[in-house]
Amino acid sequence: MRLFQRSNCRMPISRSTFTIILGILFGLSATHYLTTLKSLTDPVICGPEQQVSRSEELDIISHRRGLILVAIMTAAKYVDTRAYNVWKTWAQHIPGRVMIFVAEGTESIHEDMPLIRLKGVDDTYPPQKKSFAMVKWLAENMADEYDWFLRADDDLYIRGEELAAFLRSVDSSQAHIIGQAGLGNSAEYGLLALGSTDNYCMGGPGIVMSRETLLKVSPHLETCLQHMLTSHEDVELGRCIRKHVNVACTWNYEMQKLFHNNQSAIKESYAKNMKELKDAITLHPIKDPAVMRKVHLRNREIKLREARAQRSLLSSELSTAKAQTLVRMTPNRTIDLTPWDYINNNKILFCADRVNCPRHTVDLSIRTEIADTITQLFDEFNTNARQRGRVLQFQSLQYGYMRVEPTKGVDYVLDMLLWFKKFRPPNRTTISVRRHAYVQQTFGKLRSLAEGVFRSNMRANSTLIEDPTLHMIMPLRGRAAIFGRFAQHLKSICARGGDDLAVSLTIVLYSSEDEMENRETIEMLRSSHIPVSVIEMGDVAFSRGIALMRGAETLPANALLFFTDVDMLFTCDALKRIKSNTILNAQIYFPIVFSEFSHESWSENDKLLADAFHYGRGRGYFRHFGYGLAAMYKADLMDIGGFDTKIEGWGKEDVDLFEKAIKNGRLRVIRSPEPGLVHIYHPIHCDENMPTAQKDMCHGSKAASLASIDTLVEQIAQYA
């Protein structure tokens, strides 16, 4: 083939096209040439410049805005109670920052609280000025630091993890105001000057504002404060945001659950029933600090349960995981088989291996646990309910079985009635169905704490230092011989108690015929280097409650008190356990003492025993109905209300104190048999002029102390 014949395949190119192609090639070549030349001629720059560029990058990252700032309004009279409890409970779990706003000049005994004192603001109620000043301060000082801002009161509980998850699902760059929408209560409806499409976010359950909302409303806050139409600061804040930012509070029915506001019984809100907690982000109102701590503890239990469930789920997905089975332990012997309890309609429990069998009412703790278990079950059933277009709802528990495997956990078999609901058209339907559920709750790993760590954790909110001395307080009227026995016993105990057992005795002394003998015994104790103080009561009517309160009044708030009686004997170990079981601002101890029967009913063997610390069935019994001996710090005694000083004579003051301790809710009550405390038998005289309640208690105690059931059966059998 000839070369010239190639000319037949040429594509004709115009002059303009050729010029464009040539320009592109020249531009690319020039760019490459200049870049290469710059890299060759520029001086080599080592680490410092690179370090600067990295530090600038880190600086940018460090100034990235946080998720949320929670601003809490409080007053001087609540800053060390409600506000401090908030700071020590849920505020520690907020995924951002918490600030507490107070009036100018407000002081607190707790230096760790982040207080912001608003200039020119006092504690006037309603707190319109304080609320608006707080929002203004946030806009001027914190707007560039956080995406969201929550205005809260000191009686609000916030679940930090749930709040974070909710806010991360919302676009923070837009103007939002989020909370429970309100129009006023029934008495105020139509009187708040709200338009037909207006509302406001109720301040109680919390108001969430985006950064954009905060910045836009800030310049107008002063004007809005000067032109208020009502006395409600939350209404006026909502009006101001509606007017100048053009957004209203979220109209959403679900917000009533997420930002929960309990108006039914404010004083008892969430004290007994916390069913709203699981679905809520905030709970309002919680005015009692003890209830605030109780709700916080419940919330942490829920989070711990969720974490354990997640751990169990992840463990089951491991290649080494064992197959799930309802049989967690295979018994090798008959006695290893754990029997099931049968529960009828969640009301009556039938059992076979306990004292209160064969049947009794289901304990509150079991009912609560079953209710929590059922709630958790249905939460799992309905995880993808929206996608599936159906939901399961619990109706009632027909019957169930329950057993506790001590080393494994709790097993349930639950027979339940359910509502099966389909809510997507055209297949909408509701059907009642019956289902069996097999549930296993697994115990967590054992965790041990040193005593010092345990006491420190229990006293996390306390500022007092525990007094190491055990201060025994004892009322005394007459009974010189019995007091002499008590004194000799105390003297011997203190002699061998060691350096870790410091004891003092406060005697509240009433006048009597053998008073001089009692005073001689007191001097004997003092000569044995036992600190003894005497409070003179004179010749007045005896009242144990008044006497014990008089004794407590002479001691400081951090003193450990042990209320005792002259008929008691005790061991050194018992006194040490009393100290160990009593924790300042956290725990009080009501030991169950061993009470002797009448010595006339004892067997010959019992009469031959040398000391009182023997515990045969015919010798005595643990007096489970007696609360006369108690150990607590004075600060806790005063906190629960002390003894009722209106009660005169014998009995009832101890029961009253015990009931106060239980109702207090803040203090943990320890109630346990104490073999080192023995009540020596003495004849009981019941004055017929006593009030009926005290007289019945006295006769009951007298009858219980005469003899054991075994002895009475033997006596009756003689006449059979």
Side-chain angles (χ1 to χ4, degrees):
M1 185 179 290
R2 296 177 183 178
L3 184 62
F4 68 87
Q5 289 179 343
R6 293 172 63 90
S7 61
N8 296 332
C9 299
R10 289 177 183 173
M11 181 180 291
I13 302 175
S14 65
R15 183 181 298 274
S16 61
T17 303
F18 178 77
T19 303
I20 291 171
I21 294 172
L22 185 64
I24 292 172
L25 292 173
F26 178 79
L28 292 172
S29 300
T31 302
H32 177 71
Y33 173 77
L34 292 174
T35 303
T36 304
L37 182 63
K38 186 175 187 303
S39 66
L40 293 173
T41 57
D42 281 354
V44 178
I45 300 176
C46 298
E49 178 128 341
Q50 295 175 349
Q51 292 174 0
V52 170
S53 63
R54 287 175 184 170
S55 66
E56 289 174 351
E57 183 180 355
L58 291 173
D59 190 55
I60 292 172
I61 294 174
S62 67
H63 281 82
R64 191 173 295 163
R65 289 192 295 271
L67 180 63
I68 188 165
L69 188 151
V70 179
I72 302 170
M73 280 198 311
T74 190
K77 62 180 179 179
Y78 298 127
V79 70
D80 290 324
T81 52
R82 290 185 191 171
Y84 185 68
N85 270 274
V86 163
W87 173 242
K88 284 298 184 180
T89 53
W90 61 260
Q92 303 299 317
H93 301 273
I94 292 296
R97 190 172 179 181
V98 174
M99 291 182 170
I100 300 173
F101 288 79
V102 295
E104 185 177 14
T106 300
E107 297 295 334
S108 170
I109 62 174
H110 304 292
E111 297 180 357
D112 59 326
M113 278 202 300
L115 296 184
I116 304 297
R117 297 170 178 85
L118 298 170
K119 293 184 179 179
V121 173
D122 56 25
D123 283 333
T124 300
Y125 191 86
Q128 299 101 329
K129 187 175 182 180
K130 183 186 290 184
S131 176
F132 277 62
M134 180 178 74
V135 175
K136 184 75 172 176
W137 190 96
L138 293 173
E140 293 176 349
N141 296 277
M142 290 290 165
D144 294 332
E145 301 294 327
Y146 295 92
D147 289 330
W148 298 95
F149 298 84
L150 192 154
R151 167 241 175 271
D153 290 331
D154 56 17
D155 57 353
L156 180 68
Y157 186 85
I158 300 177
R159 303 180 72 199
E161 295 90 341
E162 283 66 26
L163 176 63
F166 173 77
L167 293 180
R168 289 190 176 109
S169 68
V170 184
D171 185 359
S172 62
S173 65
Q174 302 297 315
H176 294 288
I177 177 170
I178 302 171
Q180 185 181 148
L183 297 172
N185 58 36
S186 56
E188 298 169 331
Y189 188 78
L191 303 178
L192 299 179
L194 297 173
S196 58
T197 61
D198 292 341
N199 66 3
Y200 66 95
C201 282
M202 297 165 61
I207 302 173
V208 181
M209 293 175 284
S210 64
R211 175 176 176 270
E212 187 72 12
T213 299
L214 188 70
L215 290 174
K216 285 184 177 180
V217 77
S218 176
H220 308 285
L221 289 171
E222 228 176 288
T223 304
C224 292
L225 185 62
Q226 294 172 358
H227 297 85
M228 291 192 301
L229 301 180
T230 70
S231 61
H232 303 294
E233 53 90 13
D234 51 357
V235 175
E236 298 307 319
L237 180 61
R239 193 193 315 278
C240 192
I241 292 174
R242 177 68 169 169
K243 179 178 180 181
H244 298 289
V245 187
N246 198 32
V247 292
C249 190
T250 43
W251 282 113
N252 191 313
Y253 182 78
E254 190 178 8
M255 290 298 164
Q256 295 184 28
K257 288 198 305 181
L258 297 179
F259 294 82
H260 191 267
N261 191 49
N262 185 353
Q263 293 289 357
S264 58
I266 292 179
K267 290 185 178 180
E268 299 180 0
S269 293
Y270 316 110
K272 297 179 180 178
N273 192 341
M274 297 185 221
K275 62 182 181 181
E276 300 90 351
L277 177 63
K278 196 172 187 309
D279 298 322
I281 294 175
T282 69
L283 294 179
H284 175 268
I286 305 177
K287 300 185 180 298
D288 186 348
V291 177
M292 179 70 76
R293 291 190 294 272
K294 186 176 180 181
V295 171
H296 181 64
L297 178 61
R298 179 61 175 160
N299 184 47
R300 300 319 298 169
E301 287 176 355
I302 292 173
K303 304 309 293 183
L304 178 60
R305 181 177 298 174
E306 291 174 353
R308 286 177 173 170
Q310 182 66 16
R311 183 183 66 182
S312 178
L313 178 63
L314 294 174
S315 298
S316 67
E317 295 177 356
L318 294 174
S319 59
T320 57
K322 296 180 180 179
Q324 293 186 353
T325 174
L326 294 175
V327 181
R328 293 199 280 194
M329 187 181 75
T330 303
N332 296 319
R333 300 172 301 170
T334 305
I335 60 173
D336 293 334
L337 182 64
T338 304
W340 293 78
D341 292 337
Y342 175 80
I343 300 173
N344 181 27
N345 201 25
N346 208 18
K347 294 179 181 179
I348 304 297
L349 186 144
F350 295 85
C351 55
D353 60 343
R354 289 191 294 278
V355 175
N356 54 358
C357 295
R359 57 168 282 171
H360 62 90
T361 304
V362 177
D363 294 338
L364 176 62
S365 59
I366 295 178
R367 292 203 307 271
T368 302
E369 192 60 35
I370 290 178
D372 290 345
T373 300
I374 291 173
T375 300
Q376 189 175 350
L377 274 176
F378 280 83
D379 286 344
E380 293 178 6
F381 291 159
N382 297 318
T383 301
N384 299 315
R386 185 170 296 179
Q387 291 85 345
R388 296 176 181 177
R390 59 106 179 105
V391 66
L392 292 173
Q393 292 182 352
F394 176 73
Q395 284 193 66
S396 63
L397 177 67
Q398 296 300 292
Y399 69 88
Y401 297 96
M402 182 190 78
R403 71 175 178 184
V404 178
E405 294 283 5
T407 61
K408 303 294 183 179
V410 187
D411 295 333
Y412 298 96
V413 178
L414 304 175
D415 186 89
M416 300 175 291
L417 277 181
L418 322 174
W419 289 116
F420 177 78
K421 294 185 177 182
K422 288 186 177 181
F423 50 80
R424 281 185 182 165
N427 299 317
R428 290 178 178 172
T429 185
T430 300
I431 305 172
S432 179
V433 296
R434 190 167 180 171
R435 288 291 183 270
H436 248 56
Y438 299 87
V439 184
Q440 290 182 339
Q441 285 184 322
T442 303
F443 292 144
K445 293 183 178 180
L446 291 177
R447 183 186 176 196
S448 60
L449 290 176
E451 183 178 0
V453 176
F454 173 74
R455 296 182 76 91
S456 177
N457 291 346
M458 291 285 287
R459 299 188 62 239
N461 297 323
S462 177
T463 58
L464 296 173
I465 299 174
E466 292 179 332
D467 181 357
T469 301
L470 179 64
H471 299 275
M472 304 175 72
I473 302 177
M474 184 179 72
L476 181 61
R477 182 169 206 161
R479 310 190 68 190
I482 304 300
F483 178 48
R485 180 187 64 196
F486 176 92
Q488 289 293 342
H489 185 75
L490 177 62
K491 180 180 174 181
S492 64
I493 288 295
C494 291
R496 59 178 185 267
D499 296 334
D500 59 340
L501 183 61
V503 176
S504 76
L505 177 63
T506 299
I507 297 175
V508 186
L509 187 62
Y510 287 82
S511 298
S512 64
E513 295 180 357
D514 47 5
E515 182 179 341
M516 292 307 299
E517 294 181 51
N518 285 335
R519 293 187 184 277
E520 290 173 2
T521 303
I522 291 171
E523 292 304 320
M524 180 273 292
L525 285 173
R526 287 172 173 168
S527 65
S528 302
H529 307 291
I530 298 176
V532 180
S533 59
V534 178
I535 299 174
E536 304 287 351
M537 297 296 289
D539 189 14
V540 297
F542 179 83
S543 169
R544 188 171 185 269
I546 292 176
L548 294 177
M549 287 302 295
R550 286 287 303 274
E553 289 168 0
T554 63
L555 297 166
N558 66 336
L560 172 55
L561 315 178
F562 176 45
F563 303 118
T564 186
D565 288 327
V566 72
D567 302 296
M568 296 302 305
L569 296 182
F570 38 81
T571 64
C572 184
D573 287 340
L575 298 184
K576 290 180 180 179
R577 284 191 290 269
I578 288 170
K579 289 186 64 176
S580 177
N581 289 334
T582 313
I583 303 175
L584 177 58
N585 296 145
Q587 183 170 288
I588 58 182
Y589 184 37
F590 283 86
I592 303 174
V593 307
F594 186 79
S595 185
E596 289 184 344
F597 293 128
S598 170
H599 295 184
E600 295 179 4
S601 70
W602 285 6
S603 68
E604 293 302 322
N605 288 336
D606 283 328
K607 293 177 181 179
L608 293 175
L609 295 174
D611 58 51
F613 299 98
H614 297 275
Y615 314 99
R617 283 173 57 91
R619 188 179 179 90
Y621 67 105
F622 281 102
R623 192 183 292 190
H624 62 277
F625 54 81
Y627 308 95
L629 271 66
M632 64 194 72
Y633 284 85
K634 181 186 173 181
D636 298 327
L637 173 69
M638 305 311 293
D639 184 42
I640 64 178
F643 287 97
D644 186 348
T645 55
K646 297 178 182 177
I647 298 175
E648 296 182 356
W650 189 96
K652 202 171 183 298
E653 81 291 328
D654 54 344
V655 178
D656 177 77
L657 184 71
F658 183 75
E659 290 177 347
K660 288 178 180 177
I662 296 297
K663 292 177 181 178
N664 176 267
R666 186 183 65 83
L667 298 169
R668 184 185 185 198
V669 177
I670 296 292
R671 180 85 170 137
S672 170
E674 177 48 75
L677 291 175
V678 175
H679 179 268
I680 304 300
Y681 175 80
H682 62 87
I684 297 175
H685 172 70
C686 300
D687 189 345
E688 294 303 318
N689 295 321
M690 283 182 178
T692 303
Q694 285 176 265
K695 184 167 63 176
D696 291 343
M697 291 174 63
C698 182
H699 285 300
S701 180
K702 180 178 181 178
S705 300
L706 287 175
S708 67
I709 297 295
D710 295 344
T711 302
L712 293 176
V713 170
E714 290 175 2
Q715 294 294 323
I716 295 173
Q718 296 178 11
Y719 302 97

